[in-house]
Amino acid sequence: MTTSNTGTGDVDPAVHEELARLRDSIDNIDAAVIHMLAERFKATQQVGHLKARHQLPAADPAREARQIARLRTLAESAKLDPAFAEKLLNFIIAEVIRHHERIAEDAVNGA
C-alpha cells in the first residue's frame, strides 16, 4: 500500500515484510536451482568421460530433440512457457556439449 506512484513514498511495513518473505523464497529456489544444475553437470561430466573412452560423439542430436520435447511437455504441465524451457535446455545442452568436447580433446591429448 504505497502512498506514491513514484515508489518513493511511505510503504506499509506489512508490504516490506511480504516482499522480504517472497524474496527469501526466491533466494531459496535460486539456491536449489544452482544445486540441481551442479548435480546435473556432475552426471553429464560422467557421460562425457564415458563417451570419450568409447570415442562416441560429444553431441547426440536425437537425444537432445527427445529431451527438448519432454521438457516442453513438462513446462506446459507446470504452467511455464515451453519456449522459455526450450531456450534454457538449449543453453544447458550447449554447455554440456562444450564440456564433452573438452573431455574428448583431453582424452586424445592424454590429459
Side-chain angles (χ1 to χ4, degrees):
M1 298 186 206
T2 60
T3 58
S4 168
N5 288 335
T6 64
T8 59
D10 293 330
V11 177
D12 184 331
V15 171
H16 282 295
E17 288 174 23
E18 179 71 0
L19 185 58
R21 185 189 66 74
L22 291 169
R23 286 179 173 164
D24 284 346
S25 181
I26 290 167
D27 292 349
N28 288 339
I29 294 165
D30 288 345
V33 167
I34 293 300
H35 287 284
M36 292 299 296
L37 283 171
E39 287 301 311
R40 188 185 197 287
F41 277 102
K42 285 178 191 174
T44 61
Q45 291 289 327
Q46 292 173 355
V47 168
H49 287 286
L50 183 63
K51 285 181 171 184
R53 277 195 306 275
H54 297 279
Q55 299 168 346
L56 296 170
D60 184 345
R63 161 115 172 119
E64 293 156 20
R66 287 191 308 273
Q67 285 298 94
I68 288 168
R70 181 177 154 271
L71 207 68
R72 286 185 68 91
T73 300
L74 288 171
E76 288 172 5
S77 296
K79 307 290 188 249
L80 179 68
D81 179 4
F84 170 77
E86 183 173 345
K87 287 177 192 174
L88 178 61
L89 187 60
N90 279 327
F91 178 79
I92 291 168
I93 289 170
E95 187 66 10
V96 167
I97 290 170
R98 190 179 68 75
H99 290 179
H100 289 185
E101 289 170 342
R102 189 192 73 236
I103 291 167
E105 206 175 282
D106 289 349
V108 167
N109 295 328

